[in-house]
């Protein structure tokens, strides 16, 4: 139901704005932050386990609603013997959350949860059901194992959108509206499930925007004829997955989606590493394939696939695609910087006939398949062969010449004593109190010195708050900072809600698991102004991961169905922002899994009713680079992106 989506794939950056500014104007050079003095001791758990838990949901009618849940507090044993399915699902569902079944719920922003798994082996015999607005996070220092029992029944070990039994294909959540989910730091082991049973599937991940899978190892059978699968995704509307390893199985991933980004995945010993059954646009950045029969199977008619920076070893066929004779089946495909070792066939058709042969060793710099258009003629000519390589400015590449990538920081090496919590310093996060002064003094006092923990909540600010260069800021199940009031009322004189670094400042900034927003009307709000630039030689030091700009459509925003029904004649009360994200001149940014969304429907209420709210602009980039936007998107503004 979401139309007009503009996906900023990494190709957006292959343009000439990515030229390092000649003048290195630097203010506030990043000190070493002293963080190295606070390393966790060898036996310590992940800081997230032991930090004080006082996250809350500002607009939940139950003031005792609990955001953080440790599965062991709900009876899970993690001993590899006890069946922990019920305890884990209780930890997830506890507190009248948004789930299917008897009490159907399409979406909700008022029941967020961070479900934490200490190290251990959790035996499960049925799916762990990942409710809407849930982060499932394992101990990043010692990732827990979810072990499927030999009698496992169900679609997958983790199921993000269950089918309702006897529901004639009906599911808990709408596939293109299944937002706000993340799963991190697990080993998912299905090897006890008999190999011929496709129930041996790791994750059913049928999701949409603002979703991620990070740092997961999938262990599957390597018996010939195995039916095991790592990820199963029939469709959906976008998201990001990265830093995954798949061992064994029939398919590492069997996936289809409107648009999606994958970064840094390794698939070992699968029959088919990746089966892509349909899409509008899919970017695979940094793929390693070892000892599979087929690398990518694209025979089922895909829309547009870009595979950038792959290493393929000991695999008879890298790509299975349609023959030129079947041009209607053969979607657009771009291969860029593909290194092969012992890959006899790089591209074959469905009959096994070679389209591009390989060999013992080689590099495919650039190869494409699809329609080539000339002038204004709508008639494309189908082409399969070498194409001119995209120009990739070196500032975007790592030392090996691959597009640079940086994993979502989790600070697993750091002791809990390195963290300070904003709720310890006077901020309430209750969606009502003006937290401007508390947040500003917290940022000034600790930015660059400690890791700043924003406990779950909605923090209202009534004038600009500045996140200084040097700040590491961590949210909890998407903590919200929202601008409200007079300061953001004048579109002739727009004001910044959250300023990231002063103009031309330089230093580390890492923002994770946050949402930046407004309470309407806010026609003069520039929601995020990003000024900071990475220190010379520290690629990706200024960035944001799994953090979003969400405008309206959620409780407390006053840009909801009651205030802003579709096409209400009075548009003034429904102005959400002047501009969502401004990357200023002199800034650099690494944005991974960032969704800039002007809501087209209300996530609370029935979860489907359309609303009409307005924002002047989406993303404005005046940066001269480098800017990486990985799995990052903006919708539905017609002025979504100006780069
Ligand atoms: C998504 O996939 C399921 C299973 O194949 C199918 O039943 C459903 O119609 C699909 N939905 C959309 C919107 O394509
Ligand atoms: C890629 O993923 C692996 C394994 O998950 C991880 O160890 C590595 O640091 C990641 N590399 C990058 C560049 O993100
Ligand atoms: C197999 O080869 C035939 C004859 O060249 C061709 O028409 C057909 O498209 C090929 N099939 C596939 C699935 O590639
Ligand atoms: C969920 O959405 C469907 C339409 O897709 C609607 O019929 C239903 O009423 C909604 N459920 C709830 C609980 O609001």
């Amino acid at each position: 139901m979401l139309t007009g989506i503009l996906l900023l794939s990494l190709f957006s950056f292959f343009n000439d704005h990515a030229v390092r500014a000649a003048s290195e104007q630097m203010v506030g050079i990043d000190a070493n932050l002293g963080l190295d003095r606070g390393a966790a001791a060898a036996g310590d758990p992940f800081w997230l386990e032991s930090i004080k838990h006082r996250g809350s949901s500002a607009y939940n009618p139950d003031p005792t609603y609990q955001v953080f849940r440790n599965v062991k507090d709900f009876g899970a044993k993690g001993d590899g013997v006890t069946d922990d399915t019920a305890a884990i699902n209780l930890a997830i569902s506890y507190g009248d959350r948004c789930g299917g079944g008897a009490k159907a719920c399409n979406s909700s922003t008022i029941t967020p949860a961070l479900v934490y798994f200490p190290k251990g082996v959790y035996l499960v015999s049925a799916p762990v059901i990942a409710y809407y607005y849930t982060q499932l996070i394992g101990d990043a220092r010692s990732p827990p194992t979810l072990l499927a029992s030999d009698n496992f029944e169900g679609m997958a070990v983790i199921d993000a959108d269950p089918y309702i039994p006897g529901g004639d294909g009906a599911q808990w959540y709408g596939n293109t509206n299944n937002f706000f989910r993340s799963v991190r730091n697990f080993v998912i082991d299905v090897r006890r499930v008999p190999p011929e049973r496709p129930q041996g599937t790791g994750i059913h991940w049928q999701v949409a925007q603002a979703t991620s899978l990070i740092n997961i190892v999938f262990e599957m059978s390597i018996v010939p004829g195995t039916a095991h699968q790592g990820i199963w995704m029939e469709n959906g509307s976008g998201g990001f997955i990265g830093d995954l390893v798949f061992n064994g199985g029939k398919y590492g991933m069997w996936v289809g989606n409107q648009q999606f980004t994958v970064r840094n995945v390794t698939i070992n010993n699968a029959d088919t590493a990746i089966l892509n059954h349909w899409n509008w646009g899919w970017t695979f950045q940094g793929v390693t394939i070892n000892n599979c029969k087929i690398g990518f199977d694209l025979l089922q008619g895909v829309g547009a696939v870009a595979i950038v920076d792959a290493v393929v070893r000991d695999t008879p066929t890298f790509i299975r695609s349609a023959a030129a004779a079947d041009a209607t089946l053969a979607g657009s495909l771009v291969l860029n910087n593909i290194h092969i070792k012992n890959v006899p066939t790089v591209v074959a058709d469905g009959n096994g006939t070679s389209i591009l042969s390989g060999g013992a060793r080689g590099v495919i710099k650039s190869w494409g398949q699809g329609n080539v258009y000339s002038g204004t003629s709508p008639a494309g000519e189908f082409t399969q062969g070498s194409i001119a390589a995209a120009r990739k400015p070196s500032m975007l590449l790592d030392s090996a010449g691959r597009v640079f990538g940086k994993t979502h920081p989790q600070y697993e090496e750091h002791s809990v004593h390195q963290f300070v919590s904003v709720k310890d310093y006077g901020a309430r996060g209750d969606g009502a109190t003006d937290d401007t002064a508390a947040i500003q003094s917290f940022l000034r006092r600790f930015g660059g010195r400690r890791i700043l923990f924003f406990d779950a909540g909605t923090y209202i600010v009534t004038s600009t708050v500045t996140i200084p260069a040097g700040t590491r800021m961590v949210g909890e199940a998407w903590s919200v900072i929202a601008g409200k009031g007079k300061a953001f009322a004048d579109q002739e004189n727009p004001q910044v809600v959250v300023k990231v670094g002063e103009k031309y400042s330089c230093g580390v900034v890492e923002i994770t698991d946050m949402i930046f927003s407004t309470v309407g009307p806010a026609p003069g709000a520039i929601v995020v102004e990003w000024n900071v630039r990475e220190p010379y030689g520290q690629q990706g030091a200024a960035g944001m991961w799994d953090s979003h700009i969400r405008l309206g459509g959620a409780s407390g925003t006053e840009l909801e169905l009651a205030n802003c029904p579709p096409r209400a004649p009075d548009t003034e009360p429904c102005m959400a922002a002047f501009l969502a994200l401004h990357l200023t001149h002199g800034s650099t940014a690494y944005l991974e899994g960032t969704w800039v969304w002007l809501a087209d429907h209300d996530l609370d209420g029935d979860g489907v009713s359309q609303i009409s709210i307005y924002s002047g602009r989406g993303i404005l980039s005046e940066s001269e680079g480098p800017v990486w936007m990985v799995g990052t998107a903006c919708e539905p503004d017609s002025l979504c992106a100006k780069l």
Side-chain angles (χ1 to χ4, degrees):
M1 67 189 299
L2 303 174
T3 53
I5 293 168
L6 170 61
L7 179 78
L8 301 175
S9 81
L10 61 103
F11 287 105
S12 323
F13 329 124
F14 298 164
N15 64 29
D16 41 8
H17 86 279
V19 174
R20 187 174 287 279
S23 69
E24 291 283 343
Q25 273 181 283
M26 295 189 185
V27 181
I29 303 279
D30 178 47
N32 200 20
L33 302 180
L35 294 180
D36 51 351
R37 290 198 301 276
D44 284 353
F46 187 31
W47 63 266
L48 184 57
E49 184 168 328
S50 30
I51 198 166
K52 188 169 173 192
H53 299 292
R54 65 195 125 191
S56 57
S57 172
Y59 305 107
N60 192 302
D62 175 3
T64 67
Y65 179 83
Q66 184 180 343
V67 176
F68 182 89
R69 300 110 194 269
N70 182 328
V71 293
K72 289 204 167 169
D73 295 339
F74 288 80
K77 293 278 180 279
D79 59 7
V81 179
T82 311
D83 186 335
D84 283 329
T85 318
I88 294 170
N89 281 327
L90 178 62
I92 297 172
S93 62
Y94 180 74
D96 204 14
R97 299 194 61 221
C98 179
K103 189 173 179 302
C105 168
N106 292 317
S107 61
S108 164
T109 67
I110 65 170
T111 55
L114 192 163
V115 181
Y116 178 75
F117 293 68
K119 76 173 176 192
V121 177
Y122 298 85
L123 185 71
V124 294
S125 55
V128 166
I129 299 178
Y131 273 49
Y132 192 88
Y133 226 109
T134 300
Q135 297 182 335
L136 300 178
I137 302 186
D139 182 329
R141 294 175 61 73
S142 186
T145 297
L146 297 175
L147 177 63
S149 62
D150 52 7
N151 59 350
F152 183 88
E153 281 296 342
M155 185 163 266
V157 173
I158 295 176
D159 191 346
D161 199 359
Y163 284 86
I164 295 167
D168 207 14
Q171 291 180 268
W172 281 30
Y173 310 106
N175 65 339
T176 56
N177 289 335
N178 201 5
F179 309 139
F180 299 110
R181 287 124 175 301
S182 187
V183 179
R184 303 174 196 160
N185 316 326
F186 287 98
V187 175
I188 300 180
D189 189 341
V190 297
R191 287 175 297 184
R192 285 196 187 173
V193 179
E196 69 282 4
R197 303 190 72 214
Q199 282 86 345
T201 294
I203 302 186
H204 174 220
W205 196 241
Q206 187 194 26
V207 295
Q209 291 86 345
T211 59
S212 65
L213 301 176
I214 302 165
N215 190 28
I216 302 170
V217 177
F218 298 80
E219 297 288 1
M220 296 166 271
S221 167
I222 51 165
V223 170
T226 175
H228 290 175
Q229 306 169 32
I231 296 174
W232 158 235
M233 178 197 295
E234 53 276 65
N235 45 40
S237 182
F240 168 79
I241 61 184
D243 306 323
L244 308 179
V245 177
F246 300 84
N247 295 315
K250 182 178 186 183
Y251 305 118
M253 300 186 225
W254 177 358
V255 291
N257 200 295
Q258 289 177 7
Q259 63 277 311
F260 217 89
T261 303
V262 177
R263 184 184 64 70
N264 187 31
V265 295
T266 298
I267 301 114
N268 303 308
N269 307 316
D271 283 352
T272 296
I274 297 170
L275 171 61
N276 201 192
H277 64 124
W278 82 282
N279 67 66
W280 294 346
W282 205 300
T283 302
F284 293 91
Q285 173 191 339
V287 181
T288 302
I289 294 173
N290 293 313
N291 194 35
C292 296
K293 295 195 177 96
I294 294 175
F296 281 80
D297 189 338
L298 306 176
L299 200 52
Q300 295 189 19
V302 299
V305 173
I307 305 170
V308 181
D309 300 332
V311 176
V312 192
R313 301 185 192 97
D314 303 317
T315 294
T317 302
F318 176 38
I319 309 266
R320 195 158 83 127
S321 185
D326 268 338
T328 49
L329 257 190
S332 299
L333 170 66
V334 170
L335 306 181
N336 183 277
N337 189 32
I338 312 296
H339 290 244
I340 58 166
K341 190 176 171 205
N342 191 20
V343 177
T345 304
V346 178
V347 184
D349 73 12
N351 301 316
T353 307
S354 173
I355 298 172
L356 176 65
S357 61
R361 262 173 202 285
V363 179
I364 294 92
K365 276 182 70 180
S366 186
W367 190 91
Q369 160 187 299
N371 288 325
V372 172
Y373 298 87
S374 310
T376 54
S377 165
E381 192 191 336
F382 185 77
T383 304
Q384 260 182 342
S386 292
I387 54 172
R391 193 179 67 82
K392 294 186 282 187
S394 61
M395 67 163 63
L396 296 175
L397 308 179
D398 65 16
S399 54
R402 298 156 63 111
V403 176
F404 172 82
K406 180 173 168 182
T407 299
H408 177 128
Q410 297 195 73
Y411 312 109
E412 65 275 17
E413 299 307 325
H414 295 287
S415 142
V416 68
H417 305 297
Q418 282 298 315
F419 288 77
V420 278
S421 154
V422 72
K423 286 196 179 174
D424 258 344
Y425 290 88
R428 301 284 298 272
D430 60 8
T433 306
D434 182 351
D435 283 327
T436 317
I439 289 179
Q440 194 57 77
S441 79
F442 179 70
L443 289 168
R444 262 196 217 113
R445 180 160 169 199
F446 295 110
R449 298 179 45 229
R450 306 288 283 278
I451 302 167
L452 310 188
F453 187 60
F454 277 69
D455 315 77
T458 298
Y459 300 87
I460 300 292
V461 297
T462 55
S463 60
T464 306
V465 292
T466 302
I467 298 171
T471 300
R472 272 112 169 150
M473 173 190 253
V474 183
E476 179 183 27
W478 300 288
S479 310
V480 180
I481 296 180
K484 177 182 181 179
K486 285 198 303 291
F488 310 112
D490 184 3
Q491 60 179 312
E492 304 299 325
N493 179 25
Q495 299 295 316
V496 174
V497 179
V498 175
K499 189 190 274 195
V500 182
E502 299 290 354
K503 284 262 166 68
Y504 296 104
S505 61
C506 175
V508 171
V509 167
E510 292 172 348
I511 296 174
T512 53
D513 298 317
M514 296 290 301
I515 284 178
F516 301 106
S517 186
T518 59
V519 174
I526 296 172
V527 187
V528 175
E529 182 183 270
W530 188 277
N531 298 310
V532 69
R533 72 178 290 114
E534 64 194 30
Y536 188 77
Q538 292 186 40
Q539 272 184 311
M544 188 150 83
W545 291 258
D546 284 280
S547 293
H548 313 291
I549 297 173
R550 186 183 69 206
L551 298 173
S555 285
T557 62
E558 295 175 27
L559 299 162
E560 301 162 63
L561 185 60
N563 325 58
C564 302
R567 292 168 294 280
D570 184 7
T571 57
E572 291 296 318
C574 298
M575 299 292 178
F578 176 86
L579 166 61
L581 173 63
H582 186 187
L583 305 175
T584 60
H585 180 256
S587 69
T588 69
Y590 183 90
L591 305 176
E592 184 169 286
T594 289
W595 186 33
V596 177
W597 188 49
L598 177 71
D600 64 347
H601 66 281
D602 202 337
L603 298 177
D604 296 303
D606 67 4
V608 287
S609 290
Q610 298 286 306
I611 56 175
S612 289
I613 64 173
Y614 307 89
S615 154
R617 295 139 201 93
I619 301 175
L620 169 64
S621 176
E622 295 179 294
S623 167
E624 295 187 347
V627 173
W628 296 267
M629 295 186 183
V630 182
T632 287
C634 170
E635 63 176 305
D637 279 1
S638 55
L639 290 174
C640 221
K642 185 167 185 304
L643 299 172

